[in-house]
Amino acid sequence: MTPLILTEDDLRRRIALDLPLIDVIEAGFARLAQGGVVMPPVLSMHLPEVNGEVDVKTAYVPGLQGFAVKISPGFFDNPARGLPSTSGLMVVLDAETGRVRAVLLDNGYLTDLRTAAAGGVAARHLSRPDASRAAILGAGLQARMQLQALRLVRPITSAVIWARDPARAEALAADMTSEDMTVCATADPAEAVAQADIVVTTTPSSQPILRAGWLRPGQHVTAMGSDQPGKNELDPACLARADLYVADRASQTRLMGELRAAIAAGTHDGADVPELGQIIARTHPGRSSPDQITLCDLTGTGVQDTAIATHALAAFSKAT
């Protein structure tokens, strides 16, 4: 078997953040909830001396021809060097023989896509269907992509962006304003949250940037930045304030998500946590009223990587 080698440029030409991709990631979460998926704990290496981290994620999904092993570095001082914060690659192994089927030199592109798509999945299943106002905390690439994903699943007509660097928030707001969506920046995160139906936190913060007292009935919050044990975007009281807390994978959020911080603070006992796949598969009721506050904790799962890698290879197979 000669492995297929695809570059970031190859993948960018064929794979985009669109509704079919959101459906693919949604199906991956549902498959995880149905059982049979083998998904080991994340291998995570924190590198505080260089403000970096490296994660290795994988998942075997019965019925798929292959499964991905993803190496994902995040070095958060890179923007000052003119480099992106994230990079990496995926290796796709044959599910029957273990032979290498493909090497996807995506430089983090597929990870960015599947992370944004997961935000879209969370909003589609947990936010109010009429949600039209978004607040994005953060102004990096994922902030942009999370807002793009929200627009695919909800009628977003306005958004407010907050970031620690006001200039970056202003620049992103100006760039994303369009004829059918008004985007502005604010220096006050509480103001951003007050105006929103959906709040998305997109930072690598180790200190809370979203306070429980800012939340109001009917809102949905997606927290996607806490994918390391030292990270924490939400005031732990947010989990107690929420009517429904949902994890992408409960075992992960207890170790590295917002749930970890809430358990440590005593605002959640960590038990009986529903997962996003259960909401999708309708084995858990999910949002039950328009006034509920819902919160989804996304730490990033190996099943998302196998799902998007399979999606990418299928797209190239059809093209040839």
Side-chain angles (χ1 to χ4, degrees), residues 51-298:
N51 193 19
E53 65 193 36
V54 180
D55 291 338
V56 179
K57 298 180 180 179
T58 185
Y60 166 84
V61 180
L64 296 185
Q65 287 185 314
F67 61 95
V69 179
K70 193 262 299 278
I71 303 172
S72 180
F75 281 63
F76 301 106
D77 292 337
N78 276 0
R81 301 182 174 99
L83 298 170
S85 295
T86 57
S87 58
L89 75 158
M90 297 185 185
V91 178
V92 183
L93 306 179
D94 187 89
E96 291 190 5
T97 66
R99 299 288 295 264
V100 177
R101 293 186 61 212
V103 179
L104 309 180
L105 302 172
D106 68 307
N107 206 28
Y109 176 63
L110 295 181
T111 294
D112 290 335
L113 285 180
R114 63 78 148 152
T115 301
V121 173
R124 180 152 68 178
H125 287 274
L126 293 168
S127 69
R128 300 193 327 267
D130 64 347
S132 62
R133 299 172 298 176
I136 309 295
L137 304 188
L141 175 61
Q142 199 55 223
R144 175 190 298 273
M145 296 182 73
Q146 289 288 336
L147 184 52
Q148 291 171 337
L150 289 183
R151 298 196 69 198
L152 293 172
V153 300
R154 288 294 183 259
I156 303 296
T157 57
S158 66
V160 182
I161 296 172
W162 170 86
R164 288 193 176 94
D165 183 343
R168 293 188 69 194
E170 292 280 0
L172 181 58
D175 194 46
M176 297 206 72
T177 294
S178 63
E179 291 183 1
D180 54 356
M181 183 175 67
T182 301
V183 186
C184 64
T186 181
D188 183 356
E191 178 186 16
V193 173
Q195 300 178 40
D197 302 315
I198 300 174
V199 181
V200 186
T201 61
T202 68
T203 74
S205 180
S206 59
Q207 298 293 327
I209 59 172
L210 176 64
R211 298 293 172 183
W214 302 345
L215 301 179
R216 58 177 178 77
Q219 287 182 317
H220 168 69
V221 177
T222 296
M224 50 73 54
S226 293
D227 57 357
Q228 287 271 334
K231 294 182 181 179
N232 178 206
E233 293 187 294
L234 307 189
D235 170 4
C238 289
L239 275 70
R241 177 91 170 92
D243 299 288
L244 176 63
Y245 166 82
V246 177
D248 55 1
R249 189 62 162 176
S251 58
Q252 283 190 191
T253 61
R254 291 187 185 104
L255 296 175
M256 62 180 65
E258 298 300 336
L259 182 57
R260 176 203 60 80
I263 292 171
T267 60
H268 199 292
D269 63 8
D272 301 320
V273 173
E275 295 185 350
L276 183 55
Q278 293 175 300
I279 308 295
I280 297 165
R282 299 186 179 181
T283 57
H284 189 281
R287 175 182 284 274
S288 59
S289 81
D291 292 333
Q292 282 189 315
I293 296 174
T294 56
L295 196 163
C296 189
D297 193 354
L298 299 179

